[in-house]
Amino acid sequence: MIPLTIDQSVPCKVMKSLTKDSLKTSLDKKEVISNYQHGFTDGRSCLTNLLESLESWTQALDEGFGIDVLYLDYRKAFDSVPHKRLLEKLKLDGINGKLLRWIQSFLGARVMRVRIRGSFSDWIEVLSGVPQGSVQGPLLFLPFVNDLPDWIKNSMRMFADDVKIWNVIRTNAGDHSLQEDLNSLARWSSKWLLKLNSRKCKVKHIGHDTCTEYHISDDDSNRQ
């Protein structure tokens, strides 16, 4: 028989469901989640994300302009969210009292170790990551990236940690605002310890021949 962990126990599952509902109610009531976010939100999905983007792109093409689209992805985003910074953002969003203390307790006191061929590493404390597979995991992630649109000048849409930013190209000289947005995202990433995965980030040029190059900072410096 395999023993149940605390996360698998019935009381814990019930408590997680209750806190998820309470957190969602608080976020909806305060209208916290950005309109640019289409992931894990009522009435929005991958389809609404695509339809809104397609409408904007089609209008630009009909007007005779080109479009540059940047597809961005964060490296191990759900596993990289620092607990202290997440709690800080929840406080700023008006989440406090018993709900905030329960979330803090839920995220804290977690340890992990690695097993390789029957040998185990030492236990270490887990200081980052929203537990994947939990009902609150996606809902806790959204407030963490919610302020990201404030750093962007161009049009954008998000689905959880997947971000696309685009700009209408009106001159043959191209436009450097997308690079400026990438630089802003690098500063945001440095502040909140969430790292862009440059290997999965792509650029698409639509309706024009001016292929501007964009550069993403891929700094592997130590994070605290």
Side-chain angles (χ1 to χ4, degrees):
M1 179 181 296
I2 301 176
L4 290 175
T5 65
I6 293 178
D7 278 354
Q8 294 172 315
S9 67
V10 174
C12 184
K13 288 184 177 180
V14 172
M15 191 63 180
K16 287 193 292 186
S17 180
L18 291 174
T19 54
K20 179 245 185 182
D21 293 340
S22 180
L23 177 59
K24 184 178 185 304
T25 299
S26 296
L27 294 176
D28 289 345
K29 183 177 181 180
K30 300 176 186 298
E31 298 182 347
V32 169
I33 303 303
S34 169
N35 290 330
Y36 296 106
Q37 178 63 258
H38 288 251
F40 312 114
T41 54
D42 292 339
R44 298 182 183 181
S45 62
C46 286
L47 181 59
T48 59
N49 186 320
L50 292 171
L51 288 175
E52 289 185 9
S53 304
L54 182 60
E55 181 180 6
S56 176
W57 299 352
T58 301
Q59 180 179 349
L61 293 174
D62 287 344
E63 293 173 354
F65 301 122
I67 308 161
D68 276 359
V69 187
L70 299 178
Y71 294 90
L72 308 175
D73 182 78
Y74 278 93
R75 181 178 302 171
K76 299 181 180 179
F78 279 69
D79 294 331
S80 302
V81 174
H83 294 165
K84 289 184 178 180
R85 284 168 170 77
L86 172 58
L87 294 170
E88 178 183 339
K89 286 200 168 186
L90 289 174
K91 289 180 183 178
L92 293 175
D93 289 336
I95 306 300
N96 47 43
K98 292 182 179 179
L99 177 58
L100 182 65
R101 290 195 296 271
W102 196 94
I103 294 173
Q104 184 175 8
S105 178
F106 172 69
L107 294 174
R110 291 178 175 270
V111 294
M112 64 173 291
R113 64 177 179 175
V114 177
R115 176 184 178 183
I116 301 178
R117 296 180 180 179
S119 298
F120 293 90
S121 67
D122 294 333
W123 289 101
I124 60 170
E125 185 179 3
V126 177
L127 302 176
S128 64
V130 290
Q132 297 190 50
S134 65
V135 292
Q136 319 93 315
L139 199 57
L140 286 172
F141 182 79
L142 297 187
F144 190 76
V145 296
N146 196 56
D147 65 327
L148 200 154
D150 298 338
W151 295 63
I152 302 301
K153 297 179 180 179
N154 288 290
S155 301
M156 69 176 302
R157 291 297 182 273
M158 304 170 64
F159 192 91
D161 62 312
D162 293 321
V163 181
K164 63 173 172 281
I165 307 171
W166 67 88
N167 183 39
V168 177
I169 306 299
R170 292 180 167 84
T171 66
N172 292 332
D175 193 318
H176 299 291
S177 64
L178 280 180
Q179 183 59 56
E180 293 174 2
D181 281 344
L182 283 177
N183 297 339
S184 293
L185 284 179
R187 292 192 294 271
W188 183 92
S189 300
S190 176
K191 179 179 180 179
W192 297 107
L193 307 187
L194 206 61
K195 189 176 179 61
L196 282 168
N197 186 349
S198 60
R199 294 183 179 180
K200 291 187 177 181
C201 295
K202 305 294 182 182
V203 59
K204 186 176 183 65
H205 307 284
I206 305 174
H208 70 102
D209 298 326
T210 304
C211 296
T212 306
E213 293 186 0
Y214 301 98
H215 304 279
I216 298 175
S217 174
D218 196 19
D219 182 15
D220 284 317
S221 57
N222 293 331
R223 304 191 300 174
Q224 298 178 353

PDB file of all heavy atoms in Angstrom, residues 82 85 191 193 221-224:
ATOM      1  N   PRO A  82       8.817  32.709  -7.372  1.00  0.00           N
ATOM      2  CA  PRO A  82       9.324  32.799  -5.992  1.00  0.00           C
ATOM      3  C   PRO A  82       8.172  33.053  -5.017  1.00  0.00           C
ATOM      4  O   PRO A  82       7.362  33.954  -5.217  1.00  0.00           O
ATOM      5  CB  PRO A  82      10.278  34.003  -6.032  1.00  0.00           C
ATOM      6  CG  PRO A  82      10.483  34.311  -7.479  1.00  0.00           C
ATOM      7  CD  PRO A  82       9.258  33.857  -8.189  1.00  0.00           C
ATOM      8  N   ARG A  85       7.849  36.651  -3.444  1.00  0.00           N
ATOM      9  CA  ARG A  85       7.395  37.669  -4.381  1.00  0.00           C
ATOM     10  C   ARG A  85       5.937  37.454  -4.774  1.00  0.00           C
ATOM     11  O   ARG A  85       5.191  38.414  -5.004  1.00  0.00           O
ATOM     12  CB  ARG A  85       8.304  37.681  -5.616  1.00  0.00           C
ATOM     13  CG  ARG A  85       9.659  38.356  -5.364  1.00  0.00           C
ATOM     14  CD  ARG A  85      10.621  38.091  -6.512  1.00  0.00           C
ATOM     15  NE  ARG A  85      11.828  38.895  -6.408  1.00  0.00           N
ATOM     16  CZ  ARG A  85      12.837  38.636  -5.580  1.00  0.00           C
ATOM     17  NH1 ARG A  85      12.765  37.594  -4.758  1.00  0.00           N
ATOM     18  NH2 ARG A  85      13.903  39.425  -5.544  1.00  0.00           N
ATOM     19  N   LYS A 191      13.553  41.539 -12.132  1.00  0.00           N
ATOM     20  CA  LYS A 191      12.938  41.972 -10.873  1.00  0.00           C
ATOM     21  C   LYS A 191      12.153  40.856 -10.210  1.00  0.00           C
ATOM     22  O   LYS A 191      12.212  40.685  -8.984  1.00  0.00           O
ATOM     23  CB  LYS A 191      12.016  43.168 -11.145  1.00  0.00           C
ATOM     24  CG  LYS A 191      11.308  43.681  -9.900  1.00  0.00           C
ATOM     25  CD  LYS A 191      10.432  44.884 -10.227  1.00  0.00           C
ATOM     26  CE  LYS A 191       9.721  45.397  -8.971  1.00  0.00           C
ATOM     27  NZ  LYS A 191       8.881  46.584  -9.262  1.00  0.00           N
ATOM     28  N   LEU A 193      12.277  37.488 -11.062  1.00  0.00           N
ATOM     29  CA  LEU A 193      12.962  36.185 -11.110  1.00  0.00           C
ATOM     30  C   LEU A 193      12.245  35.143 -11.965  1.00  0.00           C
ATOM     31  O   LEU A 193      12.189  33.959 -11.619  1.00  0.00           O
ATOM     32  CB  LEU A 193      13.150  35.631  -9.685  1.00  0.00           C
ATOM     33  CG  LEU A 193      13.837  36.560  -8.688  1.00  0.00           C
ATOM     34  CD1 LEU A 193      14.103  35.835  -7.378  1.00  0.00           C
ATOM     35  CD2 LEU A 193      15.126  37.122  -9.250  1.00  0.00           C
ATOM     36  N   SER A 221      22.722  34.612 -14.765  1.00  0.00           N
ATOM     37  CA  SER A 221      23.303  35.021 -13.484  1.00  0.00           C
ATOM     38  C   SER A 221      22.516  34.413 -12.333  1.00  0.00           C
ATOM     39  O   SER A 221      21.375  33.996 -12.483  1.00  0.00           O
ATOM     40  CB  SER A 221      23.261  36.539 -13.372  1.00  0.00           C
ATOM     41  OG  SER A 221      21.951  37.022 -13.507  1.00  0.00           O
ATOM     42  N   ASN A 222      23.132  34.380 -11.162  1.00  0.00           N
ATOM     43  CA  ASN A 222      22.497  33.790  -9.984  1.00  0.00           C
ATOM     44  C   ASN A 222      21.251  34.582  -9.620  1.00  0.00           C
ATOM     45  O   ASN A 222      21.220  35.786  -9.692  1.00  0.00           O
ATOM     46  CB  ASN A 222      23.480  33.783  -8.807  1.00  0.00           C
ATOM     47  CG  ASN A 222      24.633  32.848  -9.041  1.00  0.00           C
ATOM     48  OD1 ASN A 222      24.487  31.841  -9.751  1.00  0.00           O
ATOM     49  ND2 ASN A 222      25.774  33.157  -8.492  1.00  0.00           N
ATOM     50  N   ARG A 223      20.229  33.861  -9.173  1.00  0.00           N
ATOM     51  CA  ARG A 223      18.989  34.480  -8.778  1.00  0.00           C
ATOM     52  C   ARG A 223      18.764  34.211  -7.297  1.00  0.00           C
ATOM     53  O   ARG A 223      19.053  33.135  -6.804  1.00  0.00           O
ATOM     54  CB  ARG A 223      17.816  33.934  -9.599  1.00  0.00           C
ATOM     55  CG  ARG A 223      18.047  34.102 -11.084  1.00  0.00           C
ATOM     56  CD  ARG A 223      16.781  33.816 -11.850  1.00  0.00           C
ATOM     57  NE  ARG A 223      16.303  32.453 -11.638  1.00  0.00           N
ATOM     58  CZ  ARG A 223      15.161  32.014 -12.102  1.00  0.00           C
ATOM     59  NH1 ARG A 223      14.367  32.805 -12.760  1.00  0.00           N
ATOM     60  NH2 ARG A 223      14.780  30.760 -11.887  1.00  0.00           N
ATOM     61  N   GLN A 224      18.180  35.195  -6.597  1.00  0.00           N
ATOM     62  CA  GLN A 224      17.961  35.084  -5.178  1.00  0.00           C
ATOM     63  C   GLN A 224      16.465  35.110  -4.886  1.00  0.00           C
ATOM     64  O   GLN A 224      15.724  35.737  -5.580  1.00  0.00           O
ATOM     65  CB  GLN A 224      18.669  36.223  -4.445  1.00  0.00           C
ATOM     66  CG  GLN A 224      20.185  36.201  -4.649  1.00  0.00           C
ATOM     67  CD  GLN A 224      20.866  37.357  -3.948  1.00  0.00           C
ATOM     68  OE1 GLN A 224      20.216  38.253  -3.411  1.00  0.00           O
ATOM     69  NE2 GLN A 224      22.184  37.361  -3.954  1.00  0.00           N
TER      70      GLN A 224
END
